[in-house]
Amino acid sequence: MKTPILTLPDNAPPSFHMLAKPTGAICNLDCAYCFFLDKEVFYEGSKFRMSDDTLEEYIRQLIEAHQVDDVTIAWQGGEPTIMGLDFYRRAMALVEKYRRPGMRFLHTMQTNGTLLNQEWAAFLKEHDFLMGISMDGPRELHDVYRVDKGGGPTFDKVLRGIRLLQENDIEYNVLTTVNSVNADYPLEVYRFLRDEVGTTWMQFIPVVERINEDGLTLRQEGDHVSDRSVRPEQFGRFLSTIFDEWITHDVGRVYVQTIEAALRNWLGMSSSGMCVFNQTCGTGLAIEHNGDVYSCDHFVEPAYLLGNIHNKHMIELVASPEQLQFGQDKYDRLPQYCLDCDVRFACQGECPKNRFILTPDGEPGLNYLCAGFQYFFRHADFGMKIMSELYRRRREIREVMPIYRRAFADVGRNDPCPCNSGRKFKQCHGREHQARHVGLPTLRSQSRSELTANVS
């Protein structure tokens, strides 16, 4: 066993988030848009299972590296449940072995939920896990891209996993990837998750697949995206429609991560709670099954490999000049178009992985989703200001609901929008009020084996 380092680097952050991938890119599903499954080519010949030695080094160093009492231990994949329960029982024992007095641990896991059973539920409940379950909406939308290795549907298995968590009172949230298909059905997705699944915490993550020169999506390279990728304006309308539904009916009982983060930025808080909407990043890293540490979960590729915890202590990698520069570049590389933007305080350029198009004046580094985020944040501004004022007055933020409903009641389509945008209601908030679908489409499931079409 290595001797623990005695002195932390001067620039070491007091805490950070390390996302562990004990199975690497290996998964029991074959979701068409998954950005991680192809990463197995970086580890040819690997068994893709974290060894006991690597597990112990990971837990020990993670605890040693934290200067605060609260530590998050996060598992993802691939599919982390493939490792089996005994692996995580060993992890819990190691936490007890290396914890310092007064330390508190938050155990989290992102899973597709298909392998969960009652034995898993008992373990997760015992250790108070926070679970993330991936679901893309109703069956007709979920099964388009979230398929098994044979190209078959997974909706029923995922829903069964969610019901298991609910029945055992295990805290969970739902992560929905927003793609070119389900993005056209924001109300159907949101209402399904709220009313039929019964979740009270939702994450909406945009699918942006960059096409490399060889036609693959292995690296964060290329300025074209796949046909599965959500379109910028489409994503903006998706978020705006959900925002209107939420702020009208669900404030205080349903939590939408993007909305929560936006409100924090409207309030001028020190952190949005989401790395993509903070001014800088760099404290959300990823560790592979063999101990390799990368700058970010979205940058698991050779150019962003910081080192291996078997050769250098984790905190030295977290506080390395390369990683500090990676995080600072989120701000330093913003084009002037972003610096001058009226909603930059809310967006902060979003994730660097999506900054691959040109600004209107030809400067590189603009976020592919820029038009969508501008649409959403400008649309949400009216409601965000009301909620911010309620918060500052120490009032219940849920009081925004009747205020918001009254503001848009009995407004004619051609009347000025009450949000003071200067546009007609039908061209502003009225557009989202009128965005309603009847029924869901009949769609064919698509696997990763199908050819990816390019769009400009």
Side-chain angles (χ1 to χ4, degrees):
M1 184 64 61
K2 295 179 181 178
T3 301
I5 63 171
L6 299 178
T7 305
L8 294 171
D10 292 338
N11 54 2
S15 65
F16 55 92
H17 189 274
M18 183 70 71
L19 189 60
K21 297 175 172 291
T23 65
I26 301 304
C27 184
N28 61 318
L29 302 188
D30 196 28
C31 301
Y33 51 62
C34 181
F35 71 94
F36 211 78
L37 291 181
D38 291 336
K39 304 288 186 181
E40 61 183 81
V41 302
F42 294 140
Y43 294 96
E44 291 186 7
S46 172
K47 295 181 180 179
F48 294 101
R49 292 186 67 85
M50 183 176 283
S51 69
D52 286 349
D53 287 344
T54 300
L55 173 62
E56 183 159 6
E57 281 299 302
Y58 165 57
I59 297 295
R60 179 179 68 82
Q61 293 186 28
L62 183 70
I63 292 174
E64 288 176 351
H66 272 73
Q67 303 170 50
V68 297
D69 288 337
D70 293 301
V71 180
T72 296
I73 300 181
W75 306 98
Q76 200 194 46
E79 173 49 45
T81 58
I82 289 176
M83 290 299 296
L85 268 173
D86 285 344
F87 173 85
Y88 294 101
R89 291 186 178 115
R90 292 194 293 274
M92 297 301 107
L94 290 168
V95 169
E96 294 306 310
K97 179 179 178 179
Y98 290 108
R99 70 185 304 157
R100 299 192 299 271
M103 274 192 153
R104 296 173 296 271
F105 293 88
L106 172 62
H107 300 287
T108 72
M109 182 181 293
Q110 182 66 39
T111 174
N112 58 47
T114 61
L115 300 179
L116 297 179
N117 56 29
Q118 190 56 48
E119 188 180 9
W120 267 104
F123 171 83
L124 298 173
K125 182 64 177 176
E126 177 186 357
H127 296 285
D128 199 22
F129 265 71
L130 170 61
M131 301 296 289
I133 300 282
S134 299
M135 175 172 265
D136 284 358
R139 180 189 307 274
E140 297 87 345
L141 299 175
H142 174 93
D143 283 337
V144 174
Y145 294 132
R146 297 196 65 81
V147 297
D148 61 24
K149 294 297 186 182
T154 63
F155 177 86
D156 289 330
K157 293 180 181 179
V158 174
L159 186 58
R160 184 166 60 246
I162 293 176
R163 295 296 184 231
L164 187 71
L165 298 179
Q166 292 171 334
E167 291 163 5
N168 288 273
D169 195 28
I170 297 166
E171 189 174 359
Y172 75 99
N173 57 53
V174 171
L175 185 154
T176 297
T177 51
V178 184
N179 53 68
S180 60
V181 176
N182 65 358
D184 282 338
Y185 300 89
L187 286 179
E188 287 80 0
V189 170
Y190 179 82
R191 289 173 177 171
F192 171 78
L193 296 177
R194 179 193 65 191
D195 302 336
E196 298 187 45
V197 175
T199 186
T200 57
W201 184 271
M202 307 176 193
Q203 302 178 57
F204 295 109
I205 308 299
V207 172
V208 180
E209 291 184 299
R210 296 172 66 175
I211 305 299
N212 305 159
E213 286 187 0
D214 57 7
L216 300 177
T217 59
L218 188 59
R219 294 176 171 83
Q220 298 296 353
E221 299 173 356
D223 57 5
H224 290 73
V225 299
S226 71
D227 59 351
R228 296 183 287 256
S229 299
V230 66
R231 298 181 298 278
E233 296 82 357
Q234 185 187 30
F235 188 55
R237 291 192 300 271
F238 178 91
L239 292 176
S240 298
T241 302
I242 288 176
F243 178 79
D244 284 350
E245 176 78 0
W246 174 85
I247 200 172
T248 304
H249 303 289
D250 297 323
V251 179
R253 72 185 189 100
V254 175
Y255 298 88
V256 180
Q257 187 185 40
T258 301
I259 297 174
E260 295 286 318
L263 182 56
R264 285 174 169 265
N265 281 343
W266 251 267
L267 287 166
M269 292 183 173
S270 59
S271 172
S272 71
M274 290 181 69
C275 58
V276 296
F277 296 134
N278 289 339
Q279 189 174 82
T280 60
C281 61
T283 56
L285 302 89
I287 183 168
E288 264 286 354
H289 62 291
N290 69 336
D292 283 348
V293 174
Y294 291 86
S295 292
C296 172
D297 176 40
H298 289 284
F299 287 87
V300 176
E301 51 189 86
Y304 298 94
L305 173 62
L306 299 171
N308 189 288
I309 61 171
H310 290 289
N311 303 320
K312 185 175 287 189
H313 197 286
M314 181 186 298
I315 194 59
E316 297 182 65
L317 303 176
V318 173
S320 65
E322 295 84 359
Q323 183 63 9
L324 296 176
Q325 189 62 56
F326 175 86
Q328 186 60 38
D329 281 347
K330 186 179 191 298
Y331 174 76
D332 289 348
R333 294 189 176 184
L334 282 176
Q336 192 62 43
Y337 180 81
C338 291
L339 296 174
D340 295 340
C341 180
D342 61 306
V343 293
R344 197 253 298 178
F345 74 95
C347 173
Q348 301 293 357
E350 208 253 347
C351 186
K353 79 179 183 68
N354 295 329
R355 298 180 186 175
F356 55 87
I357 65 173
L358 301 178
T359 67
D361 58 359
E363 187 177 1
L366 184 64
N367 196 299
Y368 163 78
L369 295 170
C370 173
F373 282 118
Q374 285 183 334
Y375 184 99
F376 167 62
F377 289 129
R378 288 167 182 165
H379 178 89
D381 179 68
F382 181 66
M384 289 292 177
K385 286 178 176 175
I386 297 173
M387 290 187 288
S388 298
E389 186 61 24
L390 288 170
Y391 179 86
R392 294 187 181 102
R393 293 186 182 188
R394 299 184 179 181
R395 303 267 295 274
E396 294 281 349
I397 291 182
R398 62 185 178 184
E399 294 179 35
V400 70
M401 291 187 285
I403 298 173
Y404 201 81
R405 287 194 295 264
R406 286 196 300 269
F408 296 105
D410 303 321
V411 180
R413 294 181 69 253
N414 292 309
D415 292 343
C417 189
C419 76
N420 297 318
S421 65
R423 290 175 290 175
K424 292 182 179 180
F425 181 62
K426 67 181 180 182
Q427 297 170 333
C428 193
H429 282 76
R431 178 182 297 178
E432 308 312 326
H433 282 260
Q434 298 160 19
R436 299 292 185 268
H437 290 284
V438 178
L440 288 166
T442 300
L443 299 165
R444 181 175 64 88
S445 296
Q446 298 181 31
S447 69
R448 293 177 57 80
S449 61
E450 297 183 65
L451 292 176
T452 299
N454 294 354
V455 296
S456 57

